[in-house]
Amino acid sequence: MFEDSLLESGGKIKTKSKYWMIATFAFNGAILATMILIPLPYPEALPKTAMTAMLTAPPPPPPPPPPPPPQQVVKPIKMVSEIDQGLQAPTKIPKDIKMVKEEAPPPTMAGVAGMSGMSGGSGVPGGVMGGIGSAPAPVVKVAPPKGPARVSSGVISGLKISGSNPTYPPIARAAHVSGAVVLQALISKEGTIKNLRVISGPEMLRTAATEAVQNWRYKPYLLNGEPTEVDTQITVNFNFGGG
């Protein structure tokens, strides 16, 4: 009895819910259709922004780019040189050919006009007046310098013909003094030492260098073929290996 009541109540619930769902669906569909159909006869009911968006035409496409300008055609100009124009072959062969005669050059004169009677240095008529062309050139002699000639020490050392090296002073050797003594010398025309003075060098070595150089002899220094006095410098080196 209890089960029958449950079954009957279950069937009633299912039957009522089925009709209810159909009615709900129909009602919702009527509302949706009304919302769609109402704006059609009354377009002013639609939003203005939506209408503007729907009625605005799309922007036109951009215009095509202008065509490029036509390229200028450069016509080559044929250059014809004057040589080519002058070497062109004639179009017609002339019947008569004129011969061009060249005049002979005038005879050359042996001498200067108006001076044919004058003779040169060799006695030939028509020569240069006074024989200037055959005269030898004068020899110009350079006057020797008034004072002694300045000559380098390297040149003078090659003209030395005699003279011994200076003796190393014992006191300077004991003190381990060494170096170079530079002397200013005046050599005569005969090659002897006329004047001698010390320019620089250790004090312990100057006397020995002066006494030795005073006795040196040189070949005469020739300037324009003549012996000349020489002003030069002489360097004397003192080393522990030798005098």
Side-chain angles (χ1 to χ4, degrees):
M1 187 174 184
F2 180 74
E3 292 177 359
D4 294 339
S5 63
L6 289 175
L7 291 174
E8 291 177 0
S9 62
K12 293 177 180 179
I13 294 173
K14 288 181 180 180
T15 302
K16 291 180 180 180
S17 61
K18 181 178 180 180
Y19 294 139
W20 178 256
M21 290 177 62
I22 294 172
T24 304
F25 180 76
F27 181 74
N28 290 332
I31 294 173
L32 183 61
T34 303
M35 293 176 64
I36 294 173
L37 295 176
I38 284 175
L40 294 179
Y42 303 99
E44 61 274 6
L46 293 174
K48 293 183 179 182
T49 56
M51 291 294 293
T52 305
M54 291 174 63
L55 298 177
T56 302
Q71 296 182 355
Q72 296 180 358
V73 179
V74 180
K75 296 182 179 181
I77 301 173
K78 185 177 181 181
M79 301 296 293
V80 180
S81 61
E82 296 180 357
I83 298 176
D84 295 339
Q85 293 178 358
L87 297 178
Q88 292 179 357
T91 57
K92 296 180 180 181
I93 299 176
K95 295 180 180 180
D96 297 333
I97 300 175
K98 296 181 180 180
M99 301 298 294
V100 179
K101 294 182 180 181
E102 295 181 358
E103 297 180 358
T108 57
M109 300 298 292
V112 182
M115 298 182 180
S116 58
M118 299 182 181
S119 60
S122 58
V124 181
V128 182
M129 182 178 61
I132 298 175
S134 60
V139 178
V140 179
K141 293 185 178 181
V142 179
K146 296 181 180 180
R150 298 286 302 221
V151 182
S152 63
S153 59
V155 176
I156 290 300
S157 62
L159 299 178
K160 182 182 176 182
I161 56 179
S162 65
S164 59
N165 294 329
T167 303
Y168 211 116
I171 186 172
R173 186 182 295 274
H176 298 282
V177 177
S178 63
V181 179
V182 181
L183 305 173
Q184 188 74 28
L186 180 64
I187 303 176
S188 65
K189 297 179 180 180
E190 294 77 17
T192 58
I193 303 295
K194 291 178 62 176
N195 188 11
L196 192 67
R197 61 186 180 88
V198 179
I199 297 178
S200 62
E203 292 290 342
M204 294 183 180
L205 304 175
R206 292 185 178 185
T207 303
T210 304
E211 292 176 355
V213 174
Q214 191 69 42
N215 298 322
W216 288 2
R217 295 294 178 268
Y218 294 88
K219 293 180 182 180
Y221 182 77
L222 301 178
L223 182 63
N224 296 330
E226 297 181 0
T228 308
E229 289 185 350
V230 174
D231 186 9
T232 185
Q233 291 184 357
I234 301 173
T235 303
V236 182
N237 295 315
F238 287 88
N239 299 320
F240 290 111

